[in-house]
Structures are given as C-alpha cells and as structure tokens.
Amino acid sequence: MTLSLHHRVSPSILSLFATLFLISAPIAAYAEEAQTADKTVTETAREATANTETGSTDASSSEAGDKTVSSQAGESSNQGLRLPEDEISQHVLKQNDREIPYTAVAGTIKPRDSDGKPEAEIFYVSYTTDPANPERPITFVFNGGPGAASTYLHLGAMGPKVVTTTDEGALTGPPARLIPNDASWLDFTDLVFVDPVGTGFSGPAGSKSGKDFWGVDQDAESLADFVRLYLSAAGRMGSPVFLAGESYGGFRVAKLARKLQRKGSVSPSGLVLISPALEFSMLRGEDYDPLPWALQLPSYAAVKLESEGVTTREELATALKDVETYAITDYLVALASGVQKGGESASEKVAEITGLPLQKVQRYFARIPQSVFAKEFDRAGGQVLSLYDGSVGGPDPHPASSWPRGPDPVLDATLPLWSTAFVRYAAEDLGFETDVEFKLLNRKISGRWDYGTSETKQGFAGALDDVQDARAANRNLEVLIASGYTDLITPYSVPAYLVEQLPPLKGAKPIEVRNYAGGHMLYLRAPSRRDLKQDARAMYDRAIGEEGS
C-alpha cells in the first residue's frame, strides 16, 4: 500500500533521508564493523544500513554547517530582508548552429503573511527567451534533500551553462569551469530554478524561522505560493507549467503538483522526476521485507558490467534484462523462502551477478547492503565506490575498515566545486552579488524535517499516490521518470516496479520510465544529458500538443 501522509518515520527511514542525494550531511564516516558470522541476517543488515546511513561529518564541516544554518537559514526571529534587488541581464545561447537570445533574472519572491509582511525570501534564477512569449512552456526546477539548492540541475543539466566533466561524469577542477550547454532545455521551455527556504541564498523573514518551512506539507505550501506569485508577477498564467525535480526533488514535485491542483492555482502539464525517491518503503523497507533487496540487485549488476566495459545506455539495457528478470522472480522467491534457505540457494548466483566474493555474499545470506557492496567491490584495488554512482571509485583512506570511512567519491569531492561555480556565475554572468553565504547543502534541514508523522500515523513516506491523483485530476498530465543504471541510492528498478503497481486510469497518459547510463546525477555524463533532453522534449511536445498550444 502506498502511504502518502499516513506514515511514521522509523530510525531506519530517518537514516535513509540522511543518505539520499543532496541531503544534510555527506557520507563521511562510518562505524567499524562489529559483527560476527553467527549473527542473523536481520541484525547484520540492520547494522550495515545503520552504519552506512548515520555517518557523521568531520568536526569542521559540522561546525561550519551549524554556523551557516543559524545565520542564514533563520532560526532567530524578526529577521529583516537580506538579499539585494533583482538583477536582470541579457544573453545569447548558441546551440546547434542557432542563436537563442534570452533574459536572465536572479532575484527573489517574497511570500507575505495576512498583514502583508514578508515571510521569506525565496531565491531563484529564471531564463526566458526573447522576445517574451507568455504562452511558452515554463518549467520550475528543484533539487532534493531536503536541504539542497537547485544548482545541480541548473549547472549540471538544464541551464544555459554547465560544469565541465570527464567522459565518466566526474567534475574537472578545482576550480570548476563552466561551458555553454549544448543540451540546455531553454530551446523548448523557459526555466525557473528555485532554492527552497534554507538553501542557496533563500531564507525566512520576519518572525518566521526555518522550521516553519521544513516539512513535507510546509515545503509544498511555500513552493506552491512561489509558483503562483511568480506566474502572476511575470504575466505567465497562460503558460503550460511543468515541474522538474531530482531525488527528494522528485518527491517534492509530486507533492507540489497535487498541492497546486488542490489550491486551484494551476494544473501542471508535465512532471519530470529524475532519480526520484518516490516510496521510501521500496528504498529501505522493513527488515523482513525481501523486495528492497531484489530491486537493488540490478544496480549492482550494472556496476559490474561497467567495470567490464559495458557502458552505453543501449548496451546496459540489453545486458541487464536477464538480471532484472531474475531479481523479481527466482531471487525474490529465494529471499521469501527464508534467511538460511534463501541464502543457500541464491548466494552463488548473486556472487556471479555482483562480482563480490562468494564467502562475503554467503555471510550476508545473499542480501547485500549498499555499504558492503561499495566497500568490497574493488577492495583489492584499494578503491571504495560512491553510493551516488557505483561506477565511480576513489582511493580508500581506511582500507583496514570493514565499512566505508571517508568522503564519498562523488558527493563530497564535488561539493566545493559546485558551490564556488555557482557563486562566481551568479556574480560574473548574472550580476547578483551578496555577502549572504550561499548554502548548496544545508546540513540541518533533513534532521529537522517534518515528515508529517505522529505515533498514530505509521508507515513510510511516499508520493506515488500524489502522482496518481494528479493524473486523475488532469488526464493529459505527462510524467517522465528518469533513472541512472549505477545509482545505488535510488535504484533504477524501483520506479519501474512502482509504476506497474498503479491501477490503470482510463483516459490518462501513461507514465514514461526511462533509464540512462550514469548514477544519481546521470546528466553529468554528456551523452546521458543529451538523451535526457531528447526524452524530455518529446514529452513536452506531447503535452503541449494535447493542449492545442
């Protein structure tokens, strides 16, 4: 059953939120393994998950995060407005032998209370093509966390400029360098990149504090106000509206779409969910639920295939078909048959699929925690894998440890690159300068997030019901879900499984599920970024065609 707001967040799910892309603290430290072979798989898996997901940052990072949150995210009352006036600038994007003139605005929307006083300053960057077209599609873009600014999708996927990366999707630098984006979405939609309160330059104002915005419903409410106010101020109430989000941002977009419909503000024409965290029960279920283990297995197989030279989208799709079938048939049946029996019957096959030593797989009864896979896959090479892209490894600073201990090769290594790239871009290209500290990742938000829980509301957080209800309310709503094959945080098999569990909606557009080479930030690989744009553009064309615009 999908439980949207009827849920509780157990310690395991709170831990999961701490590892999902772009949330509070990077995975920087893990507890030493304290297990013996005679422990049950339930104890083993629980401890593995807890060790992976409750890693703490180093003292300096934590202290810096605390100072930033208290000063910028607004835990004190009666705060004045902190940000400068909006900056407007004109530019030209050269793309595919075309010149696309556009106007950029770096500014804020200030939702107000019943007395007309500002409650928050929500920072955004918008791009609209020239001459202005009030009926052109417009897309509001969000990253995840909760606790992340929209920089990743802005400078990594959709904006006029992107950070330079290697062929494998690793950022170059430091410092990071920006280049024109040949896969920018600006040629088919105007774009608004939004930083929720407490992220980027955004913060509360007046008597409001961060906790007034940090929650599932509070977040959807404030961002629905942002969308309404922006559309009204920009004269865009007649534009087809699209929403795009990554990771928790996918969860956020689903909630926001339904919130906008309920409030009567606007009915979105399309949703793009990138590496979404749709149903947390599928990412880290109860200890006795075998399904999350089964849905994770194809991602491990994809990592192994990439290490063997199978790297393109088409090659991976073909090579993974048998593993995908095995995962939800024989493997799932084996797991359901019991810990010992299932482990005995499946361990040899799982070792073959994952490339892990048979003895290690048997120790975990063929149920491999993400942290174990990341640590053990290339132990012999002295490398530890990133949970955000299992095809990317980095030197293991603690090889004697049984668990990953140290910076994640993708998330932690790139944090300062993204931050400095955006601040410099905002000042030099957009003309937006401020002494307010830019917060790419707010390390307190996820820990203080209100998931709408209480002792009488049990289950796991989910947003699939919101997607289904939004489709029922607008049967022309287009939905595209994009996942990376080697993403170990939000496995690519999960969205496809979930979509198949939805009952059919007569007359509604089918949900499109697409997979790409790459990890959680699949767009960091240039071919995947272009493929994502192509699939998104086709979806926009369908949506707009249905509206007759």
Side-chain angles (χ1 to χ4, degrees):
M1 178 181 294
T2 304
L3 303 174
S4 293
L5 290 178
H6 302 286
H7 62 271
R8 65 171 170 83
V9 177
S10 64
S12 62
I13 201 64
L14 284 173
S15 298
L16 176 62
F17 272 107
T19 62
L20 279 171
F21 178 57
L22 310 184
I23 31 187
S24 59
I27 301 176
Y30 302 81
E32 276 290 321
E33 181 180 32
Q35 301 172 329
T36 56
D38 60 342
K39 285 192 174 182
T40 67
V41 70
T42 298
E43 293 172 318
T44 302
R46 183 188 296 115
E47 291 187 17
T49 298
N51 277 285
T52 301
E53 296 171 351
T54 59
S56 59
T57 58
D58 60 76
S60 60
S61 296
S62 177
E63 181 180 357
D66 290 349
K67 290 179 179 178
T68 300
V69 171
S70 61
S71 63
Q72 177 218 308
E75 297 184 78
S76 60
S77 60
N78 298 315
Q79 302 167 95
L81 299 179
R82 310 159 303 133
L83 297 178
E85 295 296 317
D86 297 359
E87 291 289 345
I88 303 173
S89 54
Q90 275 69 43
H91 309 265
V92 176
L93 172 64
K94 296 181 179 180
Q95 187 181 79
N96 300 325
D97 298 323
R98 290 180 56 199
E99 290 192 350
I100 304 173
Y102 65 93
T103 296
V105 178
T108 59
I109 290 289
K110 303 175 182 65
R112 298 178 182 272
D113 62 19
S114 58
D115 295 325
K117 297 179 180 179
E119 296 182 317
E121 294 176 286
I122 302 180
F123 178 78
Y124 71 92
V125 176
S126 67
Y127 302 103
T128 56
T129 55
D130 298 324
N133 180 356
E135 296 183 355
R136 193 169 193 255
I138 187 167
T139 304
F140 294 87
V141 185
F142 309 89
N143 264 104
S150 57
T151 303
Y152 295 89
L153 289 176
H154 187 172
L155 299 184
M158 305 174 189
K161 289 190 175 182
V162 289
V163 293
T164 57
T165 61
T166 66
D167 292 341
E168 293 75 26
L171 268 67
T172 62
R177 187 168 65 92
L178 295 178
I179 58 174
N181 183 7
D182 64 359
S184 173
W185 293 20
L186 189 55
D187 60 339
F188 64 88
T189 177
D190 291 339
L191 297 162
V192 185
F193 296 92
V194 187
D195 294 346
V197 172
T199 73
F201 291 128
S202 300
S207 61
K208 295 293 185 179
S209 63
K211 65 182 179 62
D212 295 309
F213 302 90
W214 297 345
V216 172
D217 192 62
Q218 300 94 312
D219 180 69
E221 187 74 31
S222 70
L223 294 177
D225 284 343
F226 176 94
V227 171
R228 174 183 60 83
L229 291 169
Y230 180 91
L231 292 173
S232 178
R236 300 298 297 269
M237 295 301 291
S239 296
V241 172
F242 293 79
L243 307 175
E246 178 180 14
S247 194
Y248 184 88
F251 181 100
R252 169 179 278 144
V253 159
K255 295 288 184 183
L256 177 56
R258 192 67 187 115
K259 177 71 72 172
L260 287 167
Q261 288 178 335
R262 286 196 184 106
K263 290 170 71 72
S265 302
V266 65
S267 184
S269 300
L271 312 178
V272 181
L273 315 180
I274 302 170
S275 305
L278 285 174
E279 293 291 325
F280 288 93
S281 61
M282 295 295 99
L283 302 180
R284 187 73 73 253
E286 299 290 354
D287 291 331
Y288 306 107
D289 181 2
L291 188 55
W293 302 108
L295 296 177
Q296 181 78 64
L297 187 65
S299 296
Y300 296 157
V303 173
K304 180 174 181 288
L305 285 168
E306 286 225 357
S307 73
E308 297 169 344
V310 181
T311 59
T312 70
R313 183 187 191 186
E314 295 75 17
E315 290 172 339
L316 287 166
T318 299
L320 287 165
K321 285 182 179 179
D322 289 344
V323 176
E324 293 165 355
T325 300
Y326 170 74
I328 59 172
T329 55
D330 293 348
Y331 180 52
L332 185 58
V333 170
L335 296 176
S337 70
V339 170
Q340 184 171 346
K341 184 178 179 181
E344 290 173 351
S345 63
S347 286
E348 187 172 343
K349 182 69 172 178
V350 170
E352 176 189 338
I353 288 172
T354 63
L356 295 182
L358 177 58
Q359 184 179 8
K360 180 66 67 172
V361 174
Q362 290 172 331
R363 180 179 183 185
Y364 287 92
F365 299 93
R367 307 178 185 208
I368 310 300
Q370 297 158 327
S371 62
V372 171
F373 182 79
K375 178 71 177 185
E376 298 296 334
F377 182 78
D378 195 19
R379 177 186 279 274
Q383 299 279 301
V384 61
L385 305 185
S386 170
L387 296 180
Y388 300 92
D389 187 344
S391 69
V392 177
D396 188 350
H398 304 282
S401 171
S402 298
W403 304 103
R405 292 180 55 212
D408 182 271
V410 170
L411 183 63
D412 298 336
T414 63
L415 179 60
L417 299 179
W418 288 105
S419 297
T420 56
F422 180 79
V423 172
R424 182 179 178 184
Y425 172 71
E428 296 181 0
D429 287 52
L430 307 180
F432 190 89
E433 297 184 74
T434 175
D435 290 335
V436 174
E437 184 175 1
F438 179 77
K439 196 63 179 173
L440 178 65
L441 293 178
N442 187 324
R443 287 177 165 84
K444 279 194 175 180
I445 287 182
S446 66
R448 299 185 178 186
W449 198 255
D450 175 10
Y451 298 106
T453 63
S454 73
E455 293 181 354
T456 59
K457 293 182 179 180
Q458 299 185 4
F460 287 90
L464 199 62
D465 279 349
D466 297 276
V467 174
Q468 185 77 335
D469 290 346
R471 295 172 66 231
N474 174 13
R475 285 175 291 175
N476 287 327
L477 179 68
E478 292 277 355
V479 181
L480 169 64
I481 301 178
S483 299
Y485 281 116
T486 51
D487 179 5
L488 303 184
I489 290 293
T490 52
Y492 80 89
S493 294
V494 173
Y497 172 84
L498 288 173
V499 168
E500 290 300 322
Q501 309 313 307
L502 291 174
L505 284 176
K506 185 176 181 179
K509 295 298 189 64
I511 297 175
E512 185 178 21
V513 180
R514 293 288 182 264
N515 300 319
Y516 305 81
H520 202 71
M521 294 179 281
L522 57 94
Y523 46 80
L524 292 182
R525 299 192 193 186
S528 293
R529 182 165 66 246
R530 298 184 190 107
D531 289 344
L532 175 62
K533 175 186 176 175
Q534 181 178 346
D535 291 341
R537 182 163 195 163
M539 185 267 271
Y540 277 59
D541 289 344
R542 292 194 301 270
I544 297 170
E546 286 296 324
E547 295 172 2
S549 57

XYZ file of all heavy atoms in Angstrom, residues 373-409:
274
model
N 28.584 -3.484 -0.537
C 28.942 -3.536 -1.948
C 29.963 -2.452 -2.297
O 30.960 -2.710 -2.976
C 27.694 -3.378 -2.817
C 27.977 -3.469 -4.288
C 28.148 -4.692 -4.904
C 28.076 -2.316 -5.062
C 28.416 -4.785 -6.266
C 28.349 -2.393 -6.415
C 28.525 -3.629 -7.017
N 29.725 -1.231 -1.807
C 30.633 -0.120 -2.113
C 32.035 -0.370 -1.561
O 33.033 -0.013 -2.191
C 30.074 1.178 -1.538
N 32.120 -0.993 -0.425
C 33.413 -1.240 0.212
C 34.134 -2.432 -0.407
O 35.358 -2.397 -0.611
C 33.220 -1.490 1.707
C 34.496 -1.807 2.485
C 35.384 -0.597 2.630
C 36.618 -0.926 3.470
N 37.439 0.279 3.724
N 33.407 -3.487 -0.723
C 34.034 -4.752 -1.091
C 34.262 -4.934 -2.586
O 35.106 -5.741 -2.978
C 33.175 -5.921 -0.575
C 33.023 -5.964 0.935
C 34.345 -6.189 1.647
O 35.268 -6.775 1.038
O 34.460 -5.774 2.814
N 33.531 -4.189 -3.436
C 33.598 -4.465 -4.863
C 35.022 -4.343 -5.411
O 35.475 -5.181 -6.186
C 32.653 -3.534 -5.633
C 32.631 -3.802 -7.108
C 31.912 -4.859 -7.621
C 33.348 -3.004 -7.985
C 31.898 -5.122 -8.987
C 33.350 -3.253 -9.355
C 32.617 -4.320 -9.856
N 35.727 -3.300 -5.014
C 37.098 -3.114 -5.508
C 38.073 -2.978 -4.347
O 39.016 -2.198 -4.399
C 37.175 -1.882 -6.419
C 38.466 -1.839 -7.243
O 39.106 -2.898 -7.386
O 38.828 -0.752 -7.719
N 37.858 -3.764 -3.307
C 38.771 -3.733 -2.165
C 40.194 -4.072 -2.596
O 41.163 -3.458 -2.127
C 38.295 -4.699 -1.077
C 39.247 -4.775 0.124
C 38.805 -5.837 1.100
N 37.737 -5.369 1.977
C 37.945 -4.709 3.111
N 39.183 -4.379 3.479
N 36.939 -4.350 3.875
N 40.309 -5.019 -3.500
C 41.645 -5.430 -3.948
C 42.389 -4.292 -4.642
O 43.623 -4.218 -4.588
C 41.538 -6.626 -4.896
N 41.661 -3.390 -5.264
C 42.280 -2.256 -5.937
C 42.440 -1.039 -5.055
O 42.868 0.019 -5.534
N 42.073 -1.176 -3.773
C 42.206 -0.061 -2.849
C 41.206 1.055 -3.094
O 41.418 2.200 -2.687
N 40.092 0.719 -3.760
C 39.087 1.723 -4.096
C 37.791 1.463 -3.320
O 37.433 0.321 -3.040
C 38.767 1.671 -5.596
C 39.961 1.959 -6.488
C 40.221 3.445 -6.618
O 39.371 4.202 -7.061
N 41.420 3.862 -6.237
N 37.088 2.552 -2.999
C 35.753 2.466 -2.429
C 34.811 3.164 -3.398
O 35.144 4.208 -3.964
C 35.679 3.097 -1.024
C 36.024 4.571 -1.042
C 34.315 2.868 -0.393
N 33.647 2.588 -3.627
C 32.721 3.121 -4.614
C 31.839 4.211 -4.021
O 31.576 4.249 -2.823
C 31.833 2.004 -5.168
C 32.525 0.783 -5.768
C 31.479 -0.144 -6.379
C 33.561 1.181 -6.803
N 31.351 5.086 -4.902
C 30.370 6.084 -4.494
C 28.984 5.451 -4.473
O 28.622 4.683 -5.367
C 30.373 7.262 -5.470
O 29.266 8.118 -5.223
N 28.196 5.800 -3.464
C 26.818 5.343 -3.433
C 25.965 6.101 -4.444
O 24.878 5.654 -4.802
C 26.228 5.510 -2.029
C 26.876 4.661 -0.934
C 26.202 4.926 0.405
C 26.822 3.187 -1.273
N 26.449 7.242 -4.898
C 25.697 8.060 -5.842
C 25.979 7.657 -7.287
O 25.196 7.969 -8.176
C 25.996 9.535 -5.610
C 25.602 9.935 -4.210
C 26.515 9.885 -3.167
C 24.303 10.290 -3.918
C 26.142 10.193 -1.870
C 23.911 10.601 -2.621
C 24.842 10.545 -1.598
O 24.461 10.843 -0.317
N 27.055 6.979 -7.511
C 27.357 6.376 -8.811
C 28.360 5.266 -8.570
O 29.550 5.509 -8.382
C 27.919 7.412 -9.794
C 28.073 6.832 -11.199
O 28.033 5.598 -11.347
O 28.228 7.623 -12.155
N 27.856 4.038 -8.557
C 28.708 2.898 -8.239
C 29.803 2.648 -9.254
O 30.727 1.875 -8.989
N 29.731 3.294 -10.415
C 30.796 3.130 -11.403
C 31.984 4.030 -11.108
O 33.014 3.932 -11.758
C 30.266 3.434 -12.806
O 29.965 4.814 -12.954
N 31.835 4.909 -10.118
C 32.903 5.847 -9.752
C 33.504 5.420 -8.418
O 32.782 5.231 -7.429
C 32.368 7.291 -9.645
C 33.482 8.241 -9.201
C 31.787 7.734 -10.973
N 34.815 5.267 -8.400
C 35.507 4.901 -7.172
C 36.547 5.932 -6.812
O 36.960 6.754 -7.635
N 36.969 5.902 -5.576
C 38.035 6.773 -5.107
C 38.930 6.007 -4.169
O 38.558 4.930 -3.670
N 40.122 6.515 -3.909
C 41.031 5.803 -3.008
C 40.424 5.650 -1.623
O 39.817 6.581 -1.088
C 42.271 6.703 -2.985
C 41.803 8.048 -3.437
C 40.686 7.795 -4.380
N 40.562 4.467 -1.084
C 40.006 4.166 0.239
C 40.984 4.641 1.306
O 42.069 4.063 1.465
C 39.772 2.664 0.358
C 39.010 2.289 1.622
O 38.840 3.171 2.488
O 38.570 1.131 1.728
N 40.635 5.707 2.060
C 41.577 6.224 3.056
C 41.702 5.340 4.289
O 42.619 5.510 5.088
C 40.988 7.591 3.412
C 39.528 7.445 3.166
C 39.397 6.498 2.012
N 40.769 4.386 4.440
C 40.789 3.497 5.607
C 40.607 2.049 5.141
O 39.580 1.419 5.403
C 39.699 3.894 6.600
C 39.774 5.316 7.045
N 40.681 5.760 7.988
C 39.074 6.411 6.645
C 40.522 7.057 8.179
N 39.559 7.482 7.370
N 41.617 1.488 4.465
C 41.458 0.150 3.882
C 41.250 -0.952 4.911
O 40.684 -1.993 4.580
C 42.764 -0.054 3.108
C 43.737 0.889 3.735
C 42.940 2.066 4.171
N 41.699 -0.745 6.136
C 41.539 -1.786 7.150
C 40.126 -1.834 7.711
O 39.739 -2.819 8.341
C 42.540 -1.562 8.289
N 39.361 -0.795 7.489
C 37.991 -0.740 7.993
C 37.097 -1.682 7.211
O 37.306 -1.937 6.026
C 37.452 0.683 7.892
O 36.067 0.720 8.192
N 36.104 -2.196 7.896
C 35.150 -3.077 7.234
C 34.028 -2.308 6.555
O 33.221 -2.892 5.840
C 34.536 -4.052 8.255
O 35.542 -4.876 8.807
N 33.966 -1.010 6.799
C 32.927 -0.169 6.223
C 33.567 1.037 5.556
O 34.673 1.432 5.904
C 31.947 0.314 7.310
C 31.343 -0.806 8.069
C 31.674 -1.219 9.306
C 30.305 -1.675 7.629
N 30.912 -2.294 9.682
C 30.050 -2.592 8.667
C 29.549 -1.753 6.462
C 29.091 -3.581 8.559
C 28.590 -2.740 6.363
C 28.362 -3.643 7.403
N 32.884 1.662 4.600
C 33.418 2.892 4.002
C 33.566 3.977 5.060
O 32.620 4.279 5.779
C 32.340 3.280 2.973
C 31.593 2.026 2.690
C 31.603 1.254 3.965
N 34.749 4.514 5.154
C 35.004 5.611 6.093
C 35.792 6.672 5.343
O 36.949 6.468 5.023
C 35.812 5.133 7.301
C 35.088 4.180 8.235
C 36.003 3.795 9.393
N 36.492 4.991 10.078
C 37.694 5.099 10.667
N 38.531 4.075 10.616
N 38.045 6.208 11.272
N 35.158 7.785 5.088
C 35.817 8.831 4.344
C 34.863 9.481 3.367
O 33.684 9.138 3.299
N 35.355 10.429 2.582
C 34.486 11.171 1.683
C 33.941 10.313 0.553
O 34.627 9.455 0.011
C 35.407 12.274 1.139
C 36.794 11.705 1.269
C 36.767 10.878 2.520
N 32.678 10.550 0.221
C 32.103 9.865 -0.928
C 32.767 10.403 -2.192
O 32.899 11.614 -2.366
C 30.596 10.119 -0.996
C 29.950 9.388 -2.145
O 29.898 9.963 -3.254
O 29.513 8.246 -1.948
N 33.200 9.525 -3.103
C 33.938 9.968 -4.293
C 33.159 10.906 -5.208
O 33.763 11.636 -5.989
C 34.257 8.653 -5.009
C 34.241 7.617 -3.941
C 33.169 8.053 -2.990
